[in-house]
Amino acid sequence: MEWLGPEPIYRQLAALLIERIESGTYRPGYPIPSTAALCDEFDISHKTVRAATAILVERGLLVGAPGRGMFVVDQDAPPAE
């Protein structure tokens, strides 16, 4: 992939991941590809991928499961208490 414009790469990747979630490529309750897989797919560093996924976690689109990966949050599910 060719990264375009002045926007930092991690923000461009975050936007792409959001597009994939919204389009259904990454479905609620399922994991997104691993950090290593995203690094390979986009030829970027782990740090860049982690910065991008942190944005999605902050927005409530992803949740991390230690040792299992990052999962797409079901936006229609009731909030956990």
Side-chain angles (χ1 to χ4, degrees):
M1 173 170 191
E2 186 175 324
W3 302 104
L4 303 173
E7 192 76 19
I9 293 172
Y10 75 94
R11 289 189 186 270
Q12 292 182 55
L13 177 60
L16 178 67
L17 294 175
I18 290 169
E19 285 177 21
R20 288 181 177 183
I21 290 169
E22 290 176 347
S23 73
T25 301
Y26 301 152
R27 298 183 353 218
Y30 288 85
I32 65 169
S34 68
T35 298
L38 291 171
C39 289
D40 289 343
E41 180 179 352
F42 298 109
D43 194 28
I44 54 178
S45 72
H46 284 79
K47 182 178 178 182
T48 302
V49 172
R50 284 192 299 271
T53 56
I55 291 172
L56 276 69
V57 168
E58 186 176 289
R59 293 186 185 180
L61 297 173
L62 291 179
V63 63
R68 295 183 46 218
M70 301 293 288
F71 290 78
V72 178
V73 173
D74 184 351
Q75 299 297 314
D76 295 328
E81 295 197 22

PDB file of all heavy atoms in Angstrom, residues 2-38:
ATOM      1  N   GLU A   2       0.444   2.223  -0.701  1.00  0.00           N
ATOM      2  CA  GLU A   2       1.174   3.491  -0.733  1.00  0.00           C
ATOM      3  C   GLU A   2       0.492   4.462   0.227  1.00  0.00           C
ATOM      4  O   GLU A   2      -0.716   4.675   0.175  1.00  0.00           O
ATOM      5  CB  GLU A   2       1.145   4.063  -2.153  1.00  0.00           C
ATOM      6  CG  GLU A   2       1.988   5.297  -2.296  1.00  0.00           C
ATOM      7  CD  GLU A   2       2.045   5.782  -3.740  1.00  0.00           C
ATOM      8  OE1 GLU A   2       2.061   4.940  -4.645  1.00  0.00           O
ATOM      9  OE2 GLU A   2       2.056   6.991  -3.933  1.00  0.00           O
ATOM     10  N   TRP A   3       1.273   5.000   1.140  1.00  0.00           N
ATOM     11  CA  TRP A   3       0.748   5.949   2.118  1.00  0.00           C
ATOM     12  C   TRP A   3       0.805   7.340   1.506  1.00  0.00           C
ATOM     13  O   TRP A   3       1.817   7.745   0.964  1.00  0.00           O
ATOM     14  CB  TRP A   3       1.555   5.882   3.408  1.00  0.00           C
ATOM     15  CG  TRP A   3       1.534   4.508   3.974  1.00  0.00           C
ATOM     16  CD1 TRP A   3       2.543   3.600   3.927  1.00  0.00           C
ATOM     17  CD2 TRP A   3       0.456   3.851   4.617  1.00  0.00           C
ATOM     18  NE1 TRP A   3       2.158   2.423   4.524  1.00  0.00           N
ATOM     19  CE2 TRP A   3       0.874   2.558   4.964  1.00  0.00           C
ATOM     20  CE3 TRP A   3      -0.831   4.237   4.951  1.00  0.00           C
ATOM     21  CZ2 TRP A   3       0.054   1.650   5.618  1.00  0.00           C
ATOM     22  CZ3 TRP A   3      -1.650   3.317   5.609  1.00  0.00           C
ATOM     23  CH2 TRP A   3      -1.206   2.049   5.931  1.00  0.00           C
ATOM     24  N   LEU A   4      -0.301   8.047   1.590  1.00  0.00           N
ATOM     25  CA  LEU A   4      -0.415   9.336   0.911  1.00  0.00           C
ATOM     26  C   LEU A   4      -0.645  10.475   1.891  1.00  0.00           C
ATOM     27  O   LEU A   4      -1.214  10.285   2.954  1.00  0.00           O
ATOM     28  CB  LEU A   4      -1.586   9.295  -0.080  1.00  0.00           C
ATOM     29  CG  LEU A   4      -1.516   8.193  -1.137  1.00  0.00           C
ATOM     30  CD1 LEU A   4      -2.810   8.152  -1.927  1.00  0.00           C
ATOM     31  CD2 LEU A   4      -0.341   8.406  -2.049  1.00  0.00           C
ATOM     32  N   GLY A   5      -0.217  11.644   1.489  1.00  0.00           N
ATOM     33  CA  GLY A   5      -0.522  12.863   2.216  1.00  0.00           C
ATOM     34  C   GLY A   5       0.307  13.066   3.459  1.00  0.00           C
ATOM     35  O   GLY A   5       1.126  12.240   3.833  1.00  0.00           O
ATOM     36  N   PRO A   6       0.045  14.186   4.117  1.00  0.00           N
ATOM     37  CA  PRO A   6       0.820  14.560   5.292  1.00  0.00           C
ATOM     38  C   PRO A   6       0.363  13.856   6.576  1.00  0.00           C
ATOM     39  O   PRO A   6       1.040  13.919   7.592  1.00  0.00           O
ATOM     40  CB  PRO A   6       0.588  16.066   5.396  1.00  0.00           C
ATOM     41  CG  PRO A   6      -0.780  16.261   4.819  1.00  0.00           C
ATOM     42  CD  PRO A   6      -0.877  15.242   3.702  1.00  0.00           C
ATOM     43  N   GLU A   7      -0.785  13.195   6.535  1.00  0.00           N
ATOM     44  CA  GLU A   7      -1.309  12.509   7.719  1.00  0.00           C
ATOM     45  C   GLU A   7      -0.347  11.396   8.142  1.00  0.00           C
ATOM     46  O   GLU A   7       0.138  10.640   7.301  1.00  0.00           O
ATOM     47  CB  GLU A   7      -2.676  11.904   7.386  1.00  0.00           C
ATOM     48  CG  GLU A   7      -3.453  11.412   8.567  1.00  0.00           C
ATOM     49  CD  GLU A   7      -4.094  12.508   9.384  1.00  0.00           C
ATOM     50  OE1 GLU A   7      -4.250  13.628   8.883  1.00  0.00           O
ATOM     51  OE2 GLU A   7      -4.425  12.241  10.537  1.00  0.00           O
ATOM     52  N   PRO A   8      -0.042  11.282   9.434  1.00  0.00           N
ATOM     53  CA  PRO A   8       0.856  10.214   9.891  1.00  0.00           C
ATOM     54  C   PRO A   8       0.341   8.831   9.470  1.00  0.00           C
ATOM     55  O   PRO A   8      -0.878   8.604   9.413  1.00  0.00           O
ATOM     56  CB  PRO A   8       0.845  10.352  11.413  1.00  0.00           C
ATOM     57  CG  PRO A   8       0.422  11.763  11.674  1.00  0.00           C
ATOM     58  CD  PRO A   8      -0.499  12.114  10.543  1.00  0.00           C
ATOM     59  N   ILE A   9       1.254   7.917   9.204  1.00  0.00           N
ATOM     60  CA  ILE A   9       0.888   6.584   8.731  1.00  0.00           C
ATOM     61  C   ILE A   9      -0.035   5.878   9.716  1.00  0.00           C
ATOM     62  O   ILE A   9      -0.991   5.219   9.312  1.00  0.00           O
ATOM     63  CB  ILE A   9       2.151   5.749   8.432  1.00  0.00           C
ATOM     64  CG1 ILE A   9       2.888   6.355   7.240  1.00  0.00           C
ATOM     65  CG2 ILE A   9       1.792   4.294   8.155  1.00  0.00           C
ATOM     66  CD1 ILE A   9       4.250   5.730   6.969  1.00  0.00           C
ATOM     67  N   TYR A  10       0.211   6.014  11.019  1.00  0.00           N
ATOM     68  CA  TYR A  10      -0.640   5.312  11.978  1.00  0.00           C
ATOM     69  C   TYR A  10      -2.080   5.799  11.899  1.00  0.00           C
ATOM     70  O   TYR A  10      -3.018   5.024  12.070  1.00  0.00           O
ATOM     71  CB  TYR A  10      -0.080   5.402  13.402  1.00  0.00           C
ATOM     72  CG  TYR A  10      -0.254   6.722  14.100  1.00  0.00           C
ATOM     73  CD1 TYR A  10      -1.340   6.948  14.937  1.00  0.00           C
ATOM     74  CD2 TYR A  10       0.669   7.755  13.944  1.00  0.00           C
ATOM     75  CE1 TYR A  10      -1.505   8.154  15.595  1.00  0.00           C
ATOM     76  CE2 TYR A  10       0.521   8.960  14.601  1.00  0.00           C
ATOM     77  CZ  TYR A  10      -0.568   9.162  15.416  1.00  0.00           C
ATOM     78  OH  TYR A  10      -0.727  10.358  16.069  1.00  0.00           O
ATOM     79  N   ARG A  11      -2.279   7.090  11.597  1.00  0.00           N
ATOM     80  CA  ARG A  11      -3.646   7.599  11.455  1.00  0.00           C
ATOM     81  C   ARG A  11      -4.280   7.096  10.155  1.00  0.00           C
ATOM     82  O   ARG A  11      -5.476   6.814  10.120  1.00  0.00           O
ATOM     83  CB  ARG A  11      -3.660   9.120  11.492  1.00  0.00           C
ATOM     84  CG  ARG A  11      -3.370   9.686  12.871  1.00  0.00           C
ATOM     85  CD  ARG A  11      -3.615  11.187  12.882  1.00  0.00           C
ATOM     86  NE  ARG A  11      -3.231  11.788  14.132  1.00  0.00           N
ATOM     87  CZ  ARG A  11      -4.043  11.931  15.168  1.00  0.00           C
ATOM     88  NH1 ARG A  11      -5.279  11.514  15.093  1.00  0.00           N
ATOM     89  NH2 ARG A  11      -3.608  12.501  16.273  1.00  0.00           N
ATOM     90  N   GLN A  12      -3.489   6.987   9.099  1.00  0.00           N
ATOM     91  CA  GLN A  12      -4.000   6.442   7.847  1.00  0.00           C
ATOM     92  C   GLN A  12      -4.397   4.980   8.034  1.00  0.00           C
ATOM     93  O   GLN A  12      -5.433   4.537   7.532  1.00  0.00           O
ATOM     94  CB  GLN A  12      -2.954   6.573   6.738  1.00  0.00           C
ATOM     95  CG  GLN A  12      -2.693   8.014   6.326  1.00  0.00           C
ATOM     96  CD  GLN A  12      -1.685   8.105   5.207  1.00  0.00           C
ATOM     97  OE1 GLN A  12      -1.867   7.490   4.158  1.00  0.00           O
ATOM     98  NE2 GLN A  12      -0.618   8.858   5.424  1.00  0.00           N
ATOM     99  N   LEU A  13      -3.562   4.224   8.771  1.00  0.00           N
ATOM    100  CA  LEU A  13      -3.888   2.827   9.031  1.00  0.00           C
ATOM    101  C   LEU A  13      -5.138   2.725   9.892  1.00  0.00           C
ATOM    102  O   LEU A  13      -6.005   1.887   9.635  1.00  0.00           O
ATOM    103  CB  LEU A  13      -2.711   2.114   9.711  1.00  0.00           C
ATOM    104  CG  LEU A  13      -2.968   0.662  10.098  1.00  0.00           C
ATOM    105  CD1 LEU A  13      -3.317  -0.181   8.871  1.00  0.00           C
ATOM    106  CD2 LEU A  13      -1.772   0.084  10.828  1.00  0.00           C
ATOM    107  N   ALA A  14      -5.265   3.571  10.901  1.00  0.00           N
ATOM    108  CA  ALA A  14      -6.470   3.565  11.740  1.00  0.00           C
ATOM    109  C   ALA A  14      -7.707   3.794  10.880  1.00  0.00           C
ATOM    110  O   ALA A  14      -8.718   3.094  11.036  1.00  0.00           O
ATOM    111  CB  ALA A  14      -6.366   4.622  12.834  1.00  0.00           C
ATOM    112  N   ALA A  15      -7.644   4.741   9.958  1.00  0.00           N
ATOM    113  CA  ALA A  15      -8.777   5.022   9.070  1.00  0.00           C
ATOM    114  C   ALA A  15      -9.100   3.797   8.207  1.00  0.00           C
ATOM    115  O   ALA A  15     -10.276   3.466   7.999  1.00  0.00           O
ATOM    116  CB  ALA A  15      -8.486   6.237   8.200  1.00  0.00           C
ATOM    117  N   LEU A  16      -8.075   3.117   7.720  1.00  0.00           N
ATOM    118  CA  LEU A  16      -8.284   1.926   6.902  1.00  0.00           C
ATOM    119  C   LEU A  16      -8.920   0.804   7.726  1.00  0.00           C
ATOM    120  O   LEU A  16      -9.843   0.125   7.262  1.00  0.00           O
ATOM    121  CB  LEU A  16      -6.956   1.453   6.300  1.00  0.00           C
ATOM    122  CG  LEU A  16      -7.040   0.181   5.471  1.00  0.00           C
ATOM    123  CD1 LEU A  16      -7.841   0.426   4.207  1.00  0.00           C
ATOM    124  CD2 LEU A  16      -5.659  -0.313   5.135  1.00  0.00           C
ATOM    125  N   LEU A  17      -8.453   0.622   8.955  1.00  0.00           N
ATOM    126  CA  LEU A  17      -9.035  -0.413   9.816  1.00  0.00           C
ATOM    127  C   LEU A  17     -10.497  -0.088  10.126  1.00  0.00           C
ATOM    128  O   LEU A  17     -11.350  -0.984  10.139  1.00  0.00           O
ATOM    129  CB  LEU A  17      -8.223  -0.555  11.103  1.00  0.00           C
ATOM    130  CG  LEU A  17      -6.789  -1.074  10.935  1.00  0.00           C
ATOM    131  CD1 LEU A  17      -6.056  -1.047  12.265  1.00  0.00           C
ATOM    132  CD2 LEU A  17      -6.763  -2.459  10.318  1.00  0.00           C
ATOM    133  N   ILE A  18     -10.805   1.183  10.356  1.00  0.00           N
ATOM    134  CA  ILE A  18     -12.191   1.583  10.585  1.00  0.00           C
ATOM    135  C   ILE A  18     -13.036   1.272   9.359  1.00  0.00           C
ATOM    136  O   ILE A  18     -14.156   0.751   9.477  1.00  0.00           O
ATOM    137  CB  ILE A  18     -12.276   3.078  10.967  1.00  0.00           C
ATOM    138  CG1 ILE A  18     -11.686   3.297  12.363  1.00  0.00           C
ATOM    139  CG2 ILE A  18     -13.722   3.584  10.895  1.00  0.00           C
ATOM    140  CD1 ILE A  18     -11.467   4.753  12.732  1.00  0.00           C
ATOM    141  N   GLU A  19     -12.515   1.555   8.168  1.00  0.00           N
ATOM    142  CA  GLU A  19     -13.237   1.225   6.932  1.00  0.00           C
ATOM    143  C   GLU A  19     -13.523  -0.267   6.858  1.00  0.00           C
ATOM    144  O   GLU A  19     -14.623  -0.674   6.468  1.00  0.00           O
ATOM    145  CB  GLU A  19     -12.428   1.639   5.704  1.00  0.00           C
ATOM    146  CG  GLU A  19     -12.412   3.111   5.425  1.00  0.00           C
ATOM    147  CD  GLU A  19     -11.532   3.461   4.225  1.00  0.00           C
ATOM    148  OE1 GLU A  19     -11.256   2.569   3.381  1.00  0.00           O
ATOM    149  OE2 GLU A  19     -11.108   4.620   4.139  1.00  0.00           O
ATOM    150  N   ARG A  20     -12.540  -1.088   7.218  1.00  0.00           N
ATOM    151  CA  ARG A  20     -12.721  -2.535   7.158  1.00  0.00           C
ATOM    152  C   ARG A  20     -13.745  -3.010   8.185  1.00  0.00           C
ATOM    153  O   ARG A  20     -14.493  -3.944   7.922  1.00  0.00           O
ATOM    154  CB  ARG A  20     -11.382  -3.247   7.348  1.00  0.00           C
ATOM    155  CG  ARG A  20     -10.481  -3.099   6.137  1.00  0.00           C
ATOM    156  CD  ARG A  20      -9.180  -3.832   6.317  1.00  0.00           C
ATOM    157  NE  ARG A  20      -8.359  -3.739   5.105  1.00  0.00           N
ATOM    158  CZ  ARG A  20      -7.191  -4.343   4.957  1.00  0.00           C
ATOM    159  NH1 ARG A  20      -6.681  -5.089   5.935  1.00  0.00           N
ATOM    160  NH2 ARG A  20      -6.515  -4.205   3.844  1.00  0.00           N
ATOM    161  N   ILE A  21     -13.796  -2.381   9.340  1.00  0.00           N
ATOM    162  CA  ILE A  21     -14.805  -2.734  10.343  1.00  0.00           C
ATOM    163  C   ILE A  21     -16.187  -2.323   9.842  1.00  0.00           C
ATOM    164  O   ILE A  21     -17.134  -3.115   9.884  1.00  0.00           O
ATOM    165  CB  ILE A  21     -14.477  -2.074  11.699  1.00  0.00           C
ATOM    166  CG1 ILE A  21     -13.236  -2.730  12.321  1.00  0.00           C
ATOM    167  CG2 ILE A  21     -15.681  -2.159  12.644  1.00  0.00           C
ATOM    168  CD1 ILE A  21     -12.675  -1.996  13.524  1.00  0.00           C
ATOM    169  N   GLU A  22     -16.296  -1.101   9.348  1.00  0.00           N
ATOM    170  CA  GLU A  22     -17.594  -0.603   8.880  1.00  0.00           C
ATOM    171  C   GLU A  22     -18.113  -1.367   7.668  1.00  0.00           C
ATOM    172  O   GLU A  22     -19.332  -1.519   7.509  1.00  0.00           O
ATOM    173  CB  GLU A  22     -17.502   0.891   8.576  1.00  0.00           C
ATOM    174  CG  GLU A  22     -17.349   1.734   9.830  1.00  0.00           C
ATOM    175  CD  GLU A  22     -17.148   3.210   9.564  1.00  0.00           C
ATOM    176  OE1 GLU A  22     -16.880   3.595   8.397  1.00  0.00           O
ATOM    177  OE2 GLU A  22     -17.245   3.992  10.528  1.00  0.00           O
ATOM    178  N   SER A  23     -17.225  -1.866   6.825  1.00  0.00           N
ATOM    179  CA  SER A  23     -17.647  -2.613   5.638  1.00  0.00           C
ATOM    180  C   SER A  23     -17.962  -4.073   5.944  1.00  0.00           C
ATOM    181  O   SER A  23     -18.483  -4.791   5.085  1.00  0.00           O
ATOM    182  CB  SER A  23     -16.555  -2.548   4.563  1.00  0.00           C
ATOM    183  OG  SER A  23     -15.449  -3.368   4.927  1.00  0.00           O
ATOM    184  N   GLY A  24     -17.610  -4.522   7.166  1.00  0.00           N
ATOM    185  CA  GLY A  24     -17.867  -5.914   7.524  1.00  0.00           C
ATOM    186  C   GLY A  24     -16.714  -6.852   7.231  1.00  0.00           C
ATOM    187  O   GLY A  24     -16.824  -8.054   7.456  1.00  0.00           O
ATOM    188  N   THR A  25     -15.607  -6.316   6.719  1.00  0.00           N
ATOM    189  CA  THR A  25     -14.433  -7.150   6.487  1.00  0.00           C
ATOM    190  C   THR A  25     -13.964  -7.742   7.807  1.00  0.00           C
ATOM    191  O   THR A  25     -13.617  -8.924   7.881  1.00  0.00           O
ATOM    192  CB  THR A  25     -13.301  -6.337   5.824  1.00  0.00           C
ATOM    193  OG1 THR A  25     -13.785  -5.813   4.582  1.00  0.00           O
ATOM    194  CG2 THR A  25     -12.067  -7.190   5.582  1.00  0.00           C
ATOM    195  N   TYR A  26     -13.945  -6.918   8.856  1.00  0.00           N
ATOM    196  CA  TYR A  26     -13.653  -7.362  10.217  1.00  0.00           C
ATOM    197  C   TYR A  26     -14.972  -7.290  10.975  1.00  0.00           C
ATOM    198  O   TYR A  26     -15.530  -6.210  11.156  1.00  0.00           O
ATOM    199  CB  TYR A  26     -12.604  -6.487  10.888  1.00  0.00           C
ATOM    200  CG  TYR A  26     -11.265  -6.419  10.187  1.00  0.00           C
ATOM    201  CD1 TYR A  26     -10.461  -5.302  10.304  1.00  0.00           C
ATOM    202  CD2 TYR A  26     -10.788  -7.463   9.411  1.00  0.00           C
ATOM    203  CE1 TYR A  26      -9.222  -5.222   9.693  1.00  0.00           C
ATOM    204  CE2 TYR A  26      -9.558  -7.395   8.778  1.00  0.00           C
ATOM    205  CZ  TYR A  26      -8.778  -6.274   8.919  1.00  0.00           C
ATOM    206  OH  TYR A  26      -7.559  -6.200   8.305  1.00  0.00           O
ATOM    207  N   ARG A  27     -15.488  -8.441  11.393  1.00  0.00           N
ATOM    208  CA  ARG A  27     -16.821  -8.509  11.985  1.00  0.00           C
ATOM    209  C   ARG A  27     -16.790  -8.441  13.506  1.00  0.00           C
ATOM    210  O   ARG A  27     -15.829  -8.885  14.127  1.00  0.00           O
ATOM    211  CB  ARG A  27     -17.501  -9.790  11.522  1.00  0.00           C
ATOM    212  CG  ARG A  27     -17.691  -9.807  10.020  1.00  0.00           C
ATOM    213  CD  ARG A  27     -18.421 -11.013   9.514  1.00  0.00           C
ATOM    214  NE  ARG A  27     -18.693 -12.030  10.517  1.00  0.00           N
ATOM    215  CZ  ARG A  27     -18.625 -13.322  10.271  1.00  0.00           C
ATOM    216  NH1 ARG A  27     -18.286 -13.772   9.103  1.00  0.00           N
ATOM    217  NH2 ARG A  27     -18.915 -14.188  11.227  1.00  0.00           N
ATOM    218  N   PRO A  28     -17.858  -7.924  14.103  1.00  0.00           N
ATOM    219  CA  PRO A  28     -17.952  -7.858  15.561  1.00  0.00           C
ATOM    220  C   PRO A  28     -17.757  -9.228  16.199  1.00  0.00           C
ATOM    221  O   PRO A  28     -18.278 -10.233  15.718  1.00  0.00           O
ATOM    222  CB  PRO A  28     -19.376  -7.340  15.807  1.00  0.00           C
ATOM    223  CG  PRO A  28     -19.709  -6.578  14.567  1.00  0.00           C
ATOM    224  CD  PRO A  28     -19.027  -7.326  13.452  1.00  0.00           C
ATOM    225  N   GLY A  29     -16.971  -9.230  17.272  1.00  0.00           N
ATOM    226  CA  GLY A  29     -16.713 -10.461  17.999  1.00  0.00           C
ATOM    227  C   GLY A  29     -15.546 -11.268  17.475  1.00  0.00           C
ATOM    228  O   GLY A  29     -15.113 -12.217  18.103  1.00  0.00           O
ATOM    229  N   TYR A  30     -15.025 -10.889  16.328  1.00  0.00           N
ATOM    230  CA  TYR A  30     -13.918 -11.614  15.713  1.00  0.00           C
ATOM    231  C   TYR A  30     -12.636 -10.789  15.801  1.00  0.00           C
ATOM    232  O   TYR A  30     -12.675  -9.563  15.842  1.00  0.00           O
ATOM    233  CB  TYR A  30     -14.232 -11.923  14.242  1.00  0.00           C
ATOM    234  CG  TYR A  30     -15.277 -12.986  14.086  1.00  0.00           C
ATOM    235  CD1 TYR A  30     -16.630 -12.662  14.130  1.00  0.00           C
ATOM    236  CD2 TYR A  30     -14.912 -14.319  13.927  1.00  0.00           C
ATOM    237  CE1 TYR A  30     -17.599 -13.641  14.004  1.00  0.00           C
ATOM    238  CE2 TYR A  30     -15.878 -15.302  13.799  1.00  0.00           C
ATOM    239  CZ  TYR A  30     -17.218 -14.965  13.839  1.00  0.00           C
ATOM    240  OH  TYR A  30     -18.169 -15.938  13.722  1.00  0.00           O
ATOM    241  N   PRO A  31     -11.495 -11.475  15.781  1.00  0.00           N
ATOM    242  CA  PRO A  31     -10.230 -10.742  15.863  1.00  0.00           C
ATOM    243  C   PRO A  31      -9.858 -10.104  14.537  1.00  0.00           C
ATOM    244  O   PRO A  31     -10.232 -10.598  13.469  1.00  0.00           O
ATOM    245  CB  PRO A  31      -9.216 -11.820  16.240  1.00  0.00           C
ATOM    246  CG  PRO A  31      -9.783 -13.077  15.650  1.00  0.00           C
ATOM    247  CD  PRO A  31     -11.288 -12.924  15.782  1.00  0.00           C
ATOM    248  N   ILE A  32      -9.130  -9.005  14.635  1.00  0.00           N
ATOM    249  CA  ILE A  32      -8.501  -8.448  13.444  1.00  0.00           C
ATOM    250  C   ILE A  32      -7.183  -9.212  13.251  1.00  0.00           C
ATOM    251  O   ILE A  32      -6.758  -9.946  14.151  1.00  0.00           O
ATOM    252  CB  ILE A  32      -8.261  -6.926  13.571  1.00  0.00           C
ATOM    253  CG1 ILE A  32      -7.249  -6.602  14.679  1.00  0.00           C
ATOM    254  CG2 ILE A  32      -9.583  -6.193  13.780  1.00  0.00           C
ATOM    255  CD1 ILE A  32      -6.782  -5.155  14.670  1.00  0.00           C
ATOM    256  N   PRO A  33      -6.529  -9.078  12.110  1.00  0.00           N
ATOM    257  CA  PRO A  33      -5.238  -9.742  11.936  1.00  0.00           C
ATOM    258  C   PRO A  33      -4.245  -9.307  13.016  1.00  0.00           C
ATOM    259  O   PRO A  33      -4.336  -8.200  13.558  1.00  0.00           O
ATOM    260  CB  PRO A  33      -4.791  -9.289  10.548  1.00  0.00           C
ATOM    261  CG  PRO A  33      -6.064  -8.971   9.829  1.00  0.00           C
ATOM    262  CD  PRO A  33      -6.965  -8.396  10.893  1.00  0.00           C
ATOM    263  N   SER A  34      -3.304 -10.183  13.304  1.00  0.00           N
ATOM    264  CA  SER A  34      -2.298  -9.902  14.327  1.00  0.00           C
ATOM    265  C   SER A  34      -1.443  -8.698  13.934  1.00  0.00           C
ATOM    266  O   SER A  34      -1.394  -8.303  12.764  1.00  0.00           O
ATOM    267  CB  SER A  34      -1.390 -11.117  14.510  1.00  0.00           C
ATOM    268  OG  SER A  34      -0.598 -11.301  13.348  1.00  0.00           O
ATOM    269  N   THR A  35      -0.769  -8.160  14.927  1.00  0.00           N
ATOM    270  CA  THR A  35       0.151  -7.047  14.670  1.00  0.00           C
ATOM    271  C   THR A  35       1.175  -7.455  13.618  1.00  0.00           C
ATOM    272  O   THR A  35       1.439  -6.690  12.685  1.00  0.00           O
ATOM    273  CB  THR A  35       0.858  -6.627  15.975  1.00  0.00           C
ATOM    274  OG1 THR A  35      -0.137  -6.180  16.902  1.00  0.00           O
ATOM    275  CG2 THR A  35       1.855  -5.507  15.742  1.00  0.00           C
ATOM    276  N   ALA A  36       1.723  -8.654  13.755  1.00  0.00           N
ATOM    277  CA  ALA A  36       2.725  -9.126  12.790  1.00  0.00           C
ATOM    278  C   ALA A  36       2.138  -9.210  11.381  1.00  0.00           C
ATOM    279  O   ALA A  36       2.788  -8.824  10.400  1.00  0.00           O
ATOM    280  CB  ALA A  36       3.278 -10.481  13.219  1.00  0.00           C
ATOM    281  N   ALA A  37       0.903  -9.700  11.272  1.00  0.00           N
ATOM    282  CA  ALA A  37       0.267  -9.809   9.956  1.00  0.00           C
ATOM    283  C   ALA A  37       0.032  -8.438   9.342  1.00  0.00           C
ATOM    284  O   ALA A  37       0.240  -8.239   8.133  1.00  0.00           O
ATOM    285  CB  ALA A  37      -1.046 -10.578  10.064  1.00  0.00           C
ATOM    286  N   LEU A  38      -0.397  -7.468  10.160  1.00  0.00           N
ATOM    287  CA  LEU A  38      -0.609  -6.115   9.644  1.00  0.00           C
ATOM    288  C   LEU A  38       0.716  -5.469   9.254  1.00  0.00           C
ATOM    289  O   LEU A  38       0.793  -4.764   8.242  1.00  0.00           O
ATOM    290  CB  LEU A  38      -1.350  -5.258  10.677  1.00  0.00           C
ATOM    291  CG  LEU A  38      -2.812  -5.657  10.922  1.00  0.00           C
ATOM    292  CD1 LEU A  38      -3.384  -4.911  12.114  1.00  0.00           C
ATOM    293  CD2 LEU A  38      -3.659  -5.431   9.677  1.00  0.00           C
TER     294      LEU A  38
END
